[in-house]
Amino acid sequence: MRHATKVAAVVAAAALGLAACGSSSDNTPAGSNTSAGSTGTQAAGKKIVVGIAYGVGGRGDQSFNASAAVGLDKAKADLGVEFKEATQVNGESEAATEERLQQFIDAGATHVIGVGFAYAKAIGTVAKANPDVKFAIIDDASPDSAGANVAQLTFAEEQGSFLVGAAAALKSKTNTVGFVGGVATDLIKKFEAGYIAGAKAANPSIVVKSQYLSQPPDFSGFNDPAKGKTAAEGLYQGGADVVYHAAGGSGSGVFTAAKAAGKLAIGVDSDQALTATPDVRDVILTSMIKKVDVAVYDFLKSGAAGTDITGNKVYDLKAGGVDYATTGGKVDDIKSKLDDYKQKIIAGEIKVPTAP
Amino acid sequence: MSTFSPRKLLLAVAAPVLALVVAFLVTSAILLLLGDPVVEVWQTILSWPKPRQLVQIVNGATVYYLSAVAVAVGFRMNLFNIGVDGQYRVAVFAGAAFAGQAWFPGPLNVLLTIVVAMVAGGLWASIAAYLKVRRGISEVISTIMLNAIATGVVQWLLLKVAVKQQGSNSISTKPIPESSQLDGLGLIPGATNKVYTLILLAVLVGALYWFVINKTRFGFDLRATGRSESAAVASGVKVPRMVVTTMIASGALAGLIGMPLLFGQDHSYGTTFQAGLGFAGIGIALLGRNHPLGIAAAALLWSFLDVQSNALQIRAGVASEVVFIIQGVILFAVVIAYELIRRADVRLEQQRVARELAATRSDAPTPEGATA
């Protein structure tokens, strides 16, 4: 026992020693960087330091967060921005979320990006406390996150979904198509609304069947391939021969079901004919691409040029924020029709609804 | 045994310290194995927090403290309320829904919301109490099940009462009126944020917990039941009634867990409300040995680790989840350490008695001392 106490005392002392080192090296980066940030505001091509806070899943989620990371990497290559990354911890307190953003600023960040609407409140609060730092939030345009130094980057998912809806209707032989939504949030309902509108535009008599995997605040529907598979199986058995999923990680289950049924599926967010597991890629008709990377890159590029984006910026078809994918060549024969719809949406001739 | 001795105090402190050392070594070994920067990790975690972070540590500890006391009340009578997690979520939802209606002005709304939350938590816990007393179902099983049911019930009800905000994807209850939001106390100089006003509630709960357990008939019965149920029954304690009362008290205390967050931070209950507080409370009660001050120290340590780990990703490039390893190892080690210390204590006590006996025997042999 006496021996253990001795060891304990030694290590406790060592720990205190480490603590001392920590606190002395702690203050230098914060002090030097904030001053650098505030001096070069006007100069074009100025040095910007980015703090990017991913949602749960982080850079390696092969989907939404990964897309943001692509934009960041491009900004690093093209603009030479420095960046620091962090990922949200599941179930953490609002204070911890805010602290993460504040830590970036302490570490010298001039631009802070919150990937996903879970950062909305935190961005709003931290932006108010740090008026010299520029902020961006993806997928939120609520008053929670609004501020003079905040860019709210949202997407016209309904427009991209319209195009894949039209593609589904044009390819359907059973006159029935399906939709699988991850979680029944307003955001995912935008996908559904656009998809239905597109399908009806291409074929007014088409039947569209929709199914959601979970209801908020249960967000498991975004990450439950088994649920996605069951829902898609139901839709295929119900006569649908093309199913579009807006269900994040659950989408792989939809592809598996499509493969088993010998039917088609439509991917979401990234070009999934390139990112899905190779054995199911041949069932992917097209994908609705949501270019989070473009939004992130734009925000940083304008930041580097000294013309920061603020307010709500909607990335629609016109801005190249959403699109349909042509990988695999399955939509080559209807490409002219889809491009025609695209032009009409861009010109404002077709107004796509945002709620089903 | 109840007399104060320096040896006992030393032994009481030795166990947690030993556990911390083990956690330090094990975590370092894991970091080394994975090729992560060990020194930077410890530098980040053990650096002195900024005033802002001190406030966060105190705030986090306030919430953990309430959770751990809720668990500890049951632990003292060997009642394992694993359902604190479900109880606090049901309670904070009920409280948030009630407070959002703003039926009452400012502080009265706060007070009544706390009552509503305690009632909701107590009622939810009473299900497990009923099942144990009337149906003989272990409270461990029933409370775990009730946690899952609480998740479903709260989700379903939240959808019913949620308010939609233009352009937002998160859902939550109606925000509580500004007059009922508690701005906080500026206890720590130089900090931009404030300590939750309801830290006062936590202090009050701690004092009451100490008083009731140690100074009342109820507390005595509770401890007696915890030490030996058969002995308690023999001395006239109505154990089923104790189970029901204690379970409901534990649930009502669980109802308080979310209150500092609701009034001082989130102002509504929704998708971004802190989760898993009830489970954290179990560990903290264990680490603090169910003692009101021990729990406070444990809660501060937990919160310290939480806050300090936030910077790990940014400064050391290591996932914040490292802190879960540290916390887990601490818990694991502290249980073992307490057992080792207990055995050492017994051995030292035996040696002391033997020494005294030997001394008395050489003076004048007394047969009574032999039984000690």
Side-chain angles (χ1 to χ4, degrees), chain B residues 206-237:
Chain B
L208 273 176
Y209 168 70
W210 174 84
F211 181 78
V212 170
I213 294 287
N214 293 307
K215 300 288 167 194
T216 65
R217 161 91 195 271
F218 173 79
F220 180 81
D221 287 356
L222 189 143
R223 282 180 292 136
T225 318
R227 287 274 172 86
S228 163
E229 197 177 311
S230 50
V233 171
S235 60
V237 177

PDB file of all heavy atoms in Angstrom, chain B residues 206-237:
ATOM      1  N   GLY B 206     -27.671  18.742  -2.639  1.00  0.00           N
ATOM      2  CA  GLY B 206     -26.564  18.073  -1.963  1.00  0.00           C
ATOM      3  C   GLY B 206     -26.712  18.143  -0.452  1.00  0.00           C
ATOM      4  O   GLY B 206     -26.553  17.147   0.250  1.00  0.00           O
ATOM      5  N   ALA B 207     -27.067  19.339   0.047  1.00  0.00           N
ATOM      6  CA  ALA B 207     -27.212  19.520   1.491  1.00  0.00           C
ATOM      7  C   ALA B 207     -28.375  18.685   2.023  1.00  0.00           C
ATOM      8  O   ALA B 207     -28.255  18.013   3.054  1.00  0.00           O
ATOM      9  CB  ALA B 207     -27.435  21.002   1.796  1.00  0.00           C
ATOM     10  N   LEU B 208     -29.491  18.710   1.301  1.00  0.00           N
ATOM     11  CA  LEU B 208     -30.654  17.932   1.719  1.00  0.00           C
ATOM     12  C   LEU B 208     -30.349  16.439   1.715  1.00  0.00           C
ATOM     13  O   LEU B 208     -30.744  15.708   2.619  1.00  0.00           O
ATOM     14  CB  LEU B 208     -31.834  18.212   0.785  1.00  0.00           C
ATOM     15  CG  LEU B 208     -32.703  19.409   1.152  1.00  0.00           C
ATOM     16  CD1 LEU B 208     -33.773  19.621   0.094  1.00  0.00           C
ATOM     17  CD2 LEU B 208     -33.344  19.193   2.520  1.00  0.00           C
ATOM     18  N   TYR B 209     -29.635  16.020   0.676  1.00  0.00           N
ATOM     19  CA  TYR B 209     -29.271  14.609   0.553  1.00  0.00           C
ATOM     20  C   TYR B 209     -28.461  14.174   1.781  1.00  0.00           C
ATOM     21  O   TYR B 209     -28.756  13.159   2.417  1.00  0.00           O
ATOM     22  CB  TYR B 209     -28.475  14.406  -0.735  1.00  0.00           C
ATOM     23  CG  TYR B 209     -27.791  13.066  -0.865  1.00  0.00           C
ATOM     24  CD1 TYR B 209     -28.528  11.905  -1.057  1.00  0.00           C
ATOM     25  CD2 TYR B 209     -26.405  12.968  -0.826  1.00  0.00           C
ATOM     26  CE1 TYR B 209     -27.907  10.678  -1.189  1.00  0.00           C
ATOM     27  CE2 TYR B 209     -25.767  11.748  -0.957  1.00  0.00           C
ATOM     28  CZ  TYR B 209     -26.520  10.604  -1.136  1.00  0.00           C
ATOM     29  OH  TYR B 209     -25.901   9.397  -1.258  1.00  0.00           O
ATOM     30  N   TRP B 210     -27.453  15.005   2.128  1.00  0.00           N
ATOM     31  CA  TRP B 210     -26.628  14.688   3.295  1.00  0.00           C
ATOM     32  C   TRP B 210     -27.486  14.616   4.553  1.00  0.00           C
ATOM     33  O   TRP B 210     -27.400  13.673   5.331  1.00  0.00           O
ATOM     34  CB  TRP B 210     -25.540  15.755   3.462  1.00  0.00           C
ATOM     35  CG  TRP B 210     -24.745  15.574   4.725  1.00  0.00           C
ATOM     36  CD1 TRP B 210     -23.680  14.747   4.903  1.00  0.00           C
ATOM     37  CD2 TRP B 210     -24.975  16.218   5.979  1.00  0.00           C
ATOM     38  NE1 TRP B 210     -23.231  14.830   6.189  1.00  0.00           N
ATOM     39  CE2 TRP B 210     -24.011  15.724   6.871  1.00  0.00           C
ATOM     40  CE3 TRP B 210     -25.903  17.170   6.417  1.00  0.00           C
ATOM     41  CZ2 TRP B 210     -23.939  16.149   8.200  1.00  0.00           C
ATOM     42  CZ3 TRP B 210     -25.830  17.589   7.738  1.00  0.00           C
ATOM     43  CH2 TRP B 210     -24.854  17.078   8.619  1.00  0.00           C
ATOM     44  N   PHE B 211     -28.369  15.632   4.715  1.00  0.00           N
ATOM     45  CA  PHE B 211     -29.174  15.718   5.933  1.00  0.00           C
ATOM     46  C   PHE B 211     -30.129  14.528   6.051  1.00  0.00           C
ATOM     47  O   PHE B 211     -30.187  13.859   7.082  1.00  0.00           O
ATOM     48  CB  PHE B 211     -29.959  17.035   5.944  1.00  0.00           C
ATOM     49  CG  PHE B 211     -30.801  17.202   7.177  1.00  0.00           C
ATOM     50  CD1 PHE B 211     -30.217  17.593   8.366  1.00  0.00           C
ATOM     51  CD2 PHE B 211     -32.163  16.950   7.144  1.00  0.00           C
ATOM     52  CE1 PHE B 211     -30.979  17.733   9.514  1.00  0.00           C
ATOM     53  CE2 PHE B 211     -32.936  17.086   8.291  1.00  0.00           C
ATOM     54  CZ  PHE B 211     -32.337  17.476   9.479  1.00  0.00           C
ATOM     55  N   VAL B 212     -30.847  14.257   4.961  1.00  0.00           N
ATOM     56  CA  VAL B 212     -31.863  13.200   5.019  1.00  0.00           C
ATOM     57  C   VAL B 212     -31.219  11.835   5.258  1.00  0.00           C
ATOM     58  O   VAL B 212     -31.694  11.042   6.063  1.00  0.00           O
ATOM     59  CB  VAL B 212     -32.706  13.189   3.725  1.00  0.00           C
ATOM     60  CG1 VAL B 212     -33.603  11.954   3.673  1.00  0.00           C
ATOM     61  CG2 VAL B 212     -33.554  14.448   3.655  1.00  0.00           C
ATOM     62  N   ILE B 213     -30.122  11.573   4.578  1.00  0.00           N
ATOM     63  CA  ILE B 213     -29.499  10.255   4.703  1.00  0.00           C
ATOM     64  C   ILE B 213     -28.881  10.062   6.088  1.00  0.00           C
ATOM     65  O   ILE B 213     -28.985   8.997   6.684  1.00  0.00           O
ATOM     66  CB  ILE B 213     -28.404  10.069   3.617  1.00  0.00           C
ATOM     67  CG1 ILE B 213     -29.024  10.039   2.226  1.00  0.00           C
ATOM     68  CG2 ILE B 213     -27.570   8.814   3.875  1.00  0.00           C
ATOM     69  CD1 ILE B 213     -29.779   8.787   1.877  1.00  0.00           C
ATOM     70  N   ASN B 214     -28.246  11.111   6.606  1.00  0.00           N
ATOM     71  CA  ASN B 214     -27.473  10.942   7.837  1.00  0.00           C
ATOM     72  C   ASN B 214     -28.195  11.355   9.109  1.00  0.00           C
ATOM     73  O   ASN B 214     -27.827  10.932  10.197  1.00  0.00           O
ATOM     74  CB  ASN B 214     -26.165  11.732   7.740  1.00  0.00           C
ATOM     75  CG  ASN B 214     -25.258  11.146   6.689  1.00  0.00           C
ATOM     76  OD1 ASN B 214     -24.962   9.969   6.698  1.00  0.00           O
ATOM     77  ND2 ASN B 214     -24.864  11.979   5.739  1.00  0.00           N
ATOM     78  N   LYS B 215     -29.210  12.208   8.993  1.00  0.00           N
ATOM     79  CA  LYS B 215     -29.765  12.797  10.206  1.00  0.00           C
ATOM     80  C   LYS B 215     -31.250  12.503  10.413  1.00  0.00           C
ATOM     81  O   LYS B 215     -31.845  13.056  11.325  1.00  0.00           O
ATOM     82  CB  LYS B 215     -29.569  14.328  10.176  1.00  0.00           C
ATOM     83  CG  LYS B 215     -28.121  14.776  10.093  1.00  0.00           C
ATOM     84  CD  LYS B 215     -27.387  14.547  11.388  1.00  0.00           C
ATOM     85  CE  LYS B 215     -25.891  14.689  11.181  1.00  0.00           C
ATOM     86  NZ  LYS B 215     -25.103  14.170  12.291  1.00  0.00           N
ATOM     87  N   THR B 216     -31.859  11.717   9.570  1.00  0.00           N
ATOM     88  CA  THR B 216     -33.287  11.465   9.767  1.00  0.00           C
ATOM     89  C   THR B 216     -33.556   9.971   9.946  1.00  0.00           C
ATOM     90  O   THR B 216     -32.740   9.129   9.580  1.00  0.00           O
ATOM     91  CB  THR B 216     -34.127  11.960   8.576  1.00  0.00           C
ATOM     92  OG1 THR B 216     -33.780  11.187   7.430  1.00  0.00           O
ATOM     93  CG2 THR B 216     -33.892  13.435   8.288  1.00  0.00           C
ATOM     94  N   ARG B 217     -34.732   9.707  10.475  1.00  0.00           N
ATOM     95  CA  ARG B 217     -35.183   8.326  10.661  1.00  0.00           C
ATOM     96  C   ARG B 217     -35.239   7.615   9.299  1.00  0.00           C
ATOM     97  O   ARG B 217     -34.776   6.483   9.151  1.00  0.00           O
ATOM     98  CB  ARG B 217     -36.572   8.378  11.322  1.00  0.00           C
ATOM     99  CG  ARG B 217     -37.409   7.131  11.209  1.00  0.00           C
ATOM    100  CD  ARG B 217     -37.157   6.203  12.394  1.00  0.00           C
ATOM    101  NE  ARG B 217     -37.671   4.875  12.110  1.00  0.00           N
ATOM    102  CZ  ARG B 217     -38.898   4.485  12.383  1.00  0.00           C
ATOM    103  NH1 ARG B 217     -39.743   5.312  12.955  1.00  0.00           N
ATOM    104  NH2 ARG B 217     -39.294   3.259  12.098  1.00  0.00           N
ATOM    105  N   PHE B 218     -35.797   8.330   8.306  1.00  0.00           N
ATOM    106  CA  PHE B 218     -35.912   7.769   6.970  1.00  0.00           C
ATOM    107  C   PHE B 218     -34.537   7.369   6.430  1.00  0.00           C
ATOM    108  O   PHE B 218     -34.341   6.276   5.896  1.00  0.00           O
ATOM    109  CB  PHE B 218     -36.572   8.797   6.033  1.00  0.00           C
ATOM    110  CG  PHE B 218     -36.596   8.374   4.591  1.00  0.00           C
ATOM    111  CD1 PHE B 218     -37.549   7.463   4.147  1.00  0.00           C
ATOM    112  CD2 PHE B 218     -35.677   8.880   3.676  1.00  0.00           C
ATOM    113  CE1 PHE B 218     -37.567   7.065   2.818  1.00  0.00           C
ATOM    114  CE2 PHE B 218     -35.699   8.475   2.361  1.00  0.00           C
ATOM    115  CZ  PHE B 218     -36.643   7.569   1.924  1.00  0.00           C
ATOM    116  N   GLY B 219     -33.572   8.272   6.597  1.00  0.00           N
ATOM    117  CA  GLY B 219     -32.218   8.003   6.120  1.00  0.00           C
ATOM    118  C   GLY B 219     -31.616   6.790   6.809  1.00  0.00           C
ATOM    119  O   GLY B 219     -30.944   5.969   6.191  1.00  0.00           O
ATOM    120  N   PHE B 220     -31.903   6.683   8.101  1.00  0.00           N
ATOM    121  CA  PHE B 220     -31.380   5.540   8.855  1.00  0.00           C
ATOM    122  C   PHE B 220     -31.978   4.231   8.327  1.00  0.00           C
ATOM    123  O   PHE B 220     -31.251   3.264   8.067  1.00  0.00           O
ATOM    124  CB  PHE B 220     -31.700   5.711  10.346  1.00  0.00           C
ATOM    125  CG  PHE B 220     -31.191   4.583  11.187  1.00  0.00           C
ATOM    126  CD1 PHE B 220     -29.854   4.549  11.584  1.00  0.00           C
ATOM    127  CD2 PHE B 220     -32.019   3.537  11.553  1.00  0.00           C
ATOM    128  CE1 PHE B 220     -29.365   3.501  12.332  1.00  0.00           C
ATOM    129  CE2 PHE B 220     -31.531   2.483  12.303  1.00  0.00           C
ATOM    130  CZ  PHE B 220     -30.211   2.460  12.693  1.00  0.00           C
ATOM    131  N   ASP B 221     -33.308   4.240   8.143  1.00  0.00           N
ATOM    132  CA  ASP B 221     -33.977   3.058   7.604  1.00  0.00           C
ATOM    133  C   ASP B 221     -33.407   2.694   6.240  1.00  0.00           C
ATOM    134  O   ASP B 221     -33.196   1.525   5.904  1.00  0.00           O
ATOM    135  CB  ASP B 221     -35.478   3.317   7.465  1.00  0.00           C
ATOM    136  CG  ASP B 221     -36.173   3.334   8.825  1.00  0.00           C
ATOM    137  OD1 ASP B 221     -35.483   3.060   9.828  1.00  0.00           O
ATOM    138  OD2 ASP B 221     -37.382   3.627   8.870  1.00  0.00           O
ATOM    139  N   LEU B 222     -33.167   3.743   5.439  1.00  0.00           N
ATOM    140  CA  LEU B 222     -32.657   3.533   4.087  1.00  0.00           C
ATOM    141  C   LEU B 222     -31.281   2.868   4.119  1.00  0.00           C
ATOM    142  O   LEU B 222     -31.031   1.870   3.434  1.00  0.00           O
ATOM    143  CB  LEU B 222     -32.586   4.894   3.381  1.00  0.00           C
ATOM    144  CG  LEU B 222     -32.290   4.919   1.887  1.00  0.00           C
ATOM    145  CD1 LEU B 222     -33.104   6.017   1.239  1.00  0.00           C
ATOM    146  CD2 LEU B 222     -30.829   5.162   1.602  1.00  0.00           C
ATOM    147  N   ARG B 223     -30.406   3.404   4.977  1.00  0.00           N
ATOM    148  CA  ARG B 223     -29.062   2.826   5.064  1.00  0.00           C
ATOM    149  C   ARG B 223     -29.114   1.423   5.646  1.00  0.00           C
ATOM    150  O   ARG B 223     -28.393   0.522   5.211  1.00  0.00           O
ATOM    151  CB  ARG B 223     -28.164   3.726   5.911  1.00  0.00           C
ATOM    152  CG  ARG B 223     -27.664   4.949   5.132  1.00  0.00           C
ATOM    153  CD  ARG B 223     -26.783   5.824   5.990  1.00  0.00           C
ATOM    154  NE  ARG B 223     -27.546   6.460   7.053  1.00  0.00           N
ATOM    155  CZ  ARG B 223     -27.127   6.554   8.314  1.00  0.00           C
ATOM    156  NH1 ARG B 223     -25.968   6.059   8.663  1.00  0.00           N
ATOM    157  NH2 ARG B 223     -27.876   7.143   9.223  1.00  0.00           N
ATOM    158  N   ALA B 224     -30.010   1.242   6.627  1.00  0.00           N
ATOM    159  CA  ALA B 224     -30.132  -0.075   7.256  1.00  0.00           C
ATOM    160  C   ALA B 224     -30.571  -1.113   6.222  1.00  0.00           C
ATOM    161  O   ALA B 224     -30.018  -2.216   6.144  1.00  0.00           O
ATOM    162  CB  ALA B 224     -31.134  -0.010   8.400  1.00  0.00           C
ATOM    163  N   THR B 225     -31.546  -0.737   5.374  1.00  0.00           N
ATOM    164  CA  THR B 225     -32.011  -1.650   4.341  1.00  0.00           C
ATOM    165  C   THR B 225     -30.884  -1.975   3.371  1.00  0.00           C
ATOM    166  O   THR B 225     -30.757  -3.103   2.892  1.00  0.00           O
ATOM    167  CB  THR B 225     -33.202  -1.033   3.575  1.00  0.00           C
ATOM    168  OG1 THR B 225     -34.070  -0.418   4.512  1.00  0.00           O
ATOM    169  CG2 THR B 225     -33.954  -2.080   2.794  1.00  0.00           C
ATOM    170  N   GLY B 226     -30.077  -0.963   3.088  1.00  0.00           N
ATOM    171  CA  GLY B 226     -28.968  -1.158   2.157  1.00  0.00           C
ATOM    172  C   GLY B 226     -27.917  -2.106   2.717  1.00  0.00           C
ATOM    173  O   GLY B 226     -27.371  -2.942   2.007  1.00  0.00           O
ATOM    174  N   ARG B 227     -27.644  -1.999   4.040  1.00  0.00           N
ATOM    175  CA  ARG B 227     -26.622  -2.849   4.664  1.00  0.00           C
ATOM    176  C   ARG B 227     -27.099  -4.298   4.729  1.00  0.00           C
ATOM    177  O   ARG B 227     -26.377  -5.229   4.386  1.00  0.00           O
ATOM    178  CB  ARG B 227     -26.318  -2.336   6.072  1.00  0.00           C
ATOM    179  CG  ARG B 227     -25.525  -1.052   6.088  1.00  0.00           C
ATOM    180  CD  ARG B 227     -24.025  -1.338   6.012  1.00  0.00           C
ATOM    181  NE  ARG B 227     -23.275  -0.107   5.835  1.00  0.00           N
ATOM    182  CZ  ARG B 227     -22.880   0.659   6.852  1.00  0.00           C
ATOM    183  NH1 ARG B 227     -23.161   0.320   8.074  1.00  0.00           N
ATOM    184  NH2 ARG B 227     -22.198   1.763   6.618  1.00  0.00           N
ATOM    185  N   SER B 228     -28.316  -4.466   5.238  1.00  0.00           N
ATOM    186  CA  SER B 228     -28.846  -5.825   5.367  1.00  0.00           C
ATOM    187  C   SER B 228     -30.361  -5.769   5.417  1.00  0.00           C
ATOM    188  O   SER B 228     -30.949  -5.259   6.376  1.00  0.00           O
ATOM    189  CB  SER B 228     -28.313  -6.472   6.642  1.00  0.00           C
ATOM    190  OG  SER B 228     -29.121  -7.589   6.963  1.00  0.00           O
ATOM    191  N   GLU B 229     -30.981  -6.266   4.369  1.00  0.00           N
ATOM    192  CA  GLU B 229     -32.427  -6.157   4.280  1.00  0.00           C
ATOM    193  C   GLU B 229     -33.100  -6.953   5.402  1.00  0.00           C
ATOM    194  O   GLU B 229     -34.044  -6.482   6.029  1.00  0.00           O
ATOM    195  CB  GLU B 229     -32.897  -6.645   2.918  1.00  0.00           C
ATOM    196  CG  GLU B 229     -34.308  -6.182   2.602  1.00  0.00           C
ATOM    197  CD  GLU B 229     -34.762  -6.606   1.223  1.00  0.00           C
ATOM    198  OE1 GLU B 229     -34.000  -6.379   0.270  1.00  0.00           O
ATOM    199  OE2 GLU B 229     -35.865  -7.165   1.115  1.00  0.00           O
ATOM    200  N   SER B 230     -32.570  -8.168   5.686  1.00  0.00           N
ATOM    201  CA  SER B 230     -33.217  -9.012   6.699  1.00  0.00           C
ATOM    202  C   SER B 230     -33.119  -8.365   8.080  1.00  0.00           C
ATOM    203  O   SER B 230     -34.083  -8.378   8.852  1.00  0.00           O
ATOM    204  CB  SER B 230     -32.584 -10.394   6.703  1.00  0.00           C
ATOM    205  OG  SER B 230     -31.179 -10.271   6.760  1.00  0.00           O
ATOM    206  N   ALA B 231     -31.966  -7.757   8.359  1.00  0.00           N
ATOM    207  CA  ALA B 231     -31.798  -7.085   9.646  1.00  0.00           C
ATOM    208  C   ALA B 231     -32.757  -5.905   9.745  1.00  0.00           C
ATOM    209  O   ALA B 231     -33.339  -5.646  10.794  1.00  0.00           O
ATOM    210  CB  ALA B 231     -30.363  -6.619   9.805  1.00  0.00           C
ATOM    211  N   ALA B 232     -32.933  -5.199   8.613  1.00  0.00           N
ATOM    212  CA  ALA B 232     -33.829  -4.047   8.609  1.00  0.00           C
ATOM    213  C   ALA B 232     -35.262  -4.495   8.876  1.00  0.00           C
ATOM    214  O   ALA B 232     -35.978  -3.880   9.670  1.00  0.00           O
ATOM    215  CB  ALA B 232     -33.736  -3.327   7.260  1.00  0.00           C
ATOM    216  N   VAL B 233     -35.665  -5.593   8.219  1.00  0.00           N
ATOM    217  CA  VAL B 233     -37.017  -6.114   8.424  1.00  0.00           C
ATOM    218  C   VAL B 233     -37.197  -6.490   9.896  1.00  0.00           C
ATOM    219  O   VAL B 233     -38.202  -6.162  10.527  1.00  0.00           O
ATOM    220  CB  VAL B 233     -37.269  -7.340   7.520  1.00  0.00           C
ATOM    221  CG1 VAL B 233     -38.589  -8.015   7.889  1.00  0.00           C
ATOM    222  CG2 VAL B 233     -37.286  -6.922   6.054  1.00  0.00           C
ATOM    223  N   ALA B 234     -36.175  -7.159  10.439  1.00  0.00           N
ATOM    224  CA  ALA B 234     -36.254  -7.610  11.827  1.00  0.00           C
ATOM    225  C   ALA B 234     -36.406  -6.438  12.783  1.00  0.00           C
ATOM    226  O   ALA B 234     -37.066  -6.538  13.808  1.00  0.00           O
ATOM    227  CB  ALA B 234     -35.011  -8.419  12.174  1.00  0.00           C
ATOM    228  N   SER B 235     -35.792  -5.293  12.437  1.00  0.00           N
ATOM    229  CA  SER B 235     -35.886  -4.149  13.339  1.00  0.00           C
ATOM    230  C   SER B 235     -37.065  -3.247  12.981  1.00  0.00           C
ATOM    231  O   SER B 235     -37.134  -2.108  13.440  1.00  0.00           O
ATOM    232  CB  SER B 235     -34.573  -3.364  13.330  1.00  0.00           C
ATOM    233  OG  SER B 235     -34.303  -2.911  12.038  1.00  0.00           O
ATOM    234  N   GLY B 236     -37.976  -3.755  12.159  1.00  0.00           N
ATOM    235  CA  GLY B 236     -39.233  -3.057  11.965  1.00  0.00           C
ATOM    236  C   GLY B 236     -39.310  -2.109  10.775  1.00  0.00           C
ATOM    237  O   GLY B 236     -40.234  -1.309  10.683  1.00  0.00           O
ATOM    238  N   VAL B 237     -38.346  -2.173   9.862  1.00  0.00           N
ATOM    239  CA  VAL B 237     -38.410  -1.317   8.675  1.00  0.00           C
ATOM    240  C   VAL B 237     -39.352  -1.971   7.653  1.00  0.00           C
ATOM    241  O   VAL B 237     -39.216  -3.160   7.357  1.00  0.00           O
ATOM    242  CB  VAL B 237     -37.009  -1.132   8.056  1.00  0.00           C
ATOM    243  CG1 VAL B 237     -37.095  -0.311   6.787  1.00  0.00           C
ATOM    244  CG2 VAL B 237     -36.071  -0.480   9.052  1.00  0.00           C
TER     245      VAL B 237
END
